[in-house]
Amino acid sequence: MPTRESVVLILAPIGRDGKVAQAILQEVGIASRIAANLADLVAGLDGAACAVITEEALLKSDRRAIAGWVKRQPTWSDFPFVLLNHRGATPDERLTGLLGNVTVLERPFHPAVLASAVRSALRARRRQWEVEAHLAEREKTHERQALLIRELHHRVKNTLATVQGLLGATARSTKNIDTFYHSFSDRIVSLGKTHTLLTEDYWQTAPLHELLQNELGHYNAADGKRIVLNGPAIELAADLAVPAGMAFHELTTNAAKHGALSQPGGRIAVTWSVTQGETGRTLNLDWTESGGPTVSVPERKGFGSTLLQRVLAQQCNALVAIEYDPAGLRFHLEAPMPEERLVPSY
C-alpha cells in the first residue's frame, strides 16, 4: 500500500494557475505538489488526498490512464477532484463524468473559495480512509473467526478421541463400577483443567507450572516443602500440554495411592529445563519421589504406565523413562516442544 498523505496534486500546465493555486494552499497550511503532466499526476493519486486540475490540462491530454485509475478504485474510494474552468463556460460533461467526484470552480476565483473546496475534499478523503480501515478490520475479524472455528473443530475431534481412549483404558484397568467411575471421573476433571488453561489463551499454550500445580498443589504442606516445582516459565503448545497434563495426573494419582503422597513424610520434586538443538527446543523434566513406601516394580502395567510410556512417546515423540527406585519412583521426560498455533491478533 502506498504511503498516504493529505497532499494535494495540482495539474495546471498553462499559465500561472498552478503556482497561484499552490501559493493559496500553502498560505492556509495545506501541502501540495505540482504535477509535471497527466501521467505524473496519475502516478501520484494513490498516495494523495485530492487533485486540482485545470480543464485544458485534461482536454489536451490522453485521458485513458486517469479514466482507468478512476474506474479501478476500490469500493470504499471516491477520490475527490477539483476542476478549474473558465468563468461563464459550461463544464465539459466528458470531464465531469470522467472524474466522478468533482467540484467545479470558475476562474478567476477568490483564494478562500479554493481553500474551502480543497478542505472539504480532504475531509471526504480522510473519511474514506477511515472506511477502508474499518473494512480491513472487519476482514481481519472474519479471518480470525474462521481460523478459530477450524481450530475448534480440530481440537474437539482430538478431545473426543482422547476421551474415548480414556474410557476404554479405564474400563480395561478396573474391576468394578465404583472404581471405574472414580478413576474415569478424575481423569476427565484433569483433562478439563488442562483445557481451561488452553482456552484462556485461545487454545495456544498452557503454562507448565500451572499444569503441575493443578495436580500437586493441594498436596503441598503449609511450608511449601512437600511439593517442590523448580524450572523456568514455559508455555506448552496444546499438542504437548494435553498429554503432559494427563501424565501429571496419572503420576499424582499413583503417588497418592502407592507412592510418596500416600505417607505424611513423602515428598515430590519436579524440575525441568529447555534445551535448544538443531531441530528445535526440547523439554527435559524429572519427577522424583522420596519419603514414601518402598517402591517395587509393579506386576502388571496399568493405564497410568501405559499412558506415560506409549501415549507420550507416540503422540509427542517423547523419550520416557520410569525408574522404580526403592527410595522413590523416578520419571524422566524428554519431549520436543512444538510451536504453538498462532491466531492473528489485532
Side-chain angles (χ1 to χ4, degrees), residues 216-247:
L216 293 168
H218 58 280
Y219 289 103
N220 211 349
D223 59 6
K225 294 182 178 180
R226 191 179 192 196
I227 304 296
V228 178
L229 307 179
N230 186 22
I234 295 174
E235 298 283 335
L236 300 185
D239 290 340
L240 177 56
V242 171
M246 293 170 60

Side-chain angles (χ1 to χ4, degrees), residues 173-220:
S173 61
T174 55
K175 297 181 179 180
N176 58 70
I177 295 296
D178 287 340
T179 303
F180 168 82
Y181 174 80
H182 290 296
S183 297
F184 185 65
S185 177
D186 289 346
R187 284 163 179 162
I188 293 298
V189 169
S190 175
L191 184 62
K193 290 178 180 178
T194 302
H195 281 211
T196 298
L197 293 176
L198 290 168
T199 52
E200 286 176 352
D201 191 32
Y202 291 102
W203 206 280
Q204 294 192 61
T205 61
L208 172 58
H209 186 276
E210 290 192 37
L211 288 175
L212 289 162
Q213 186 67 21
N214 280 344
E215 299 297 337
L216 293 168
H218 58 280
Y219 289 103
N220 211 349

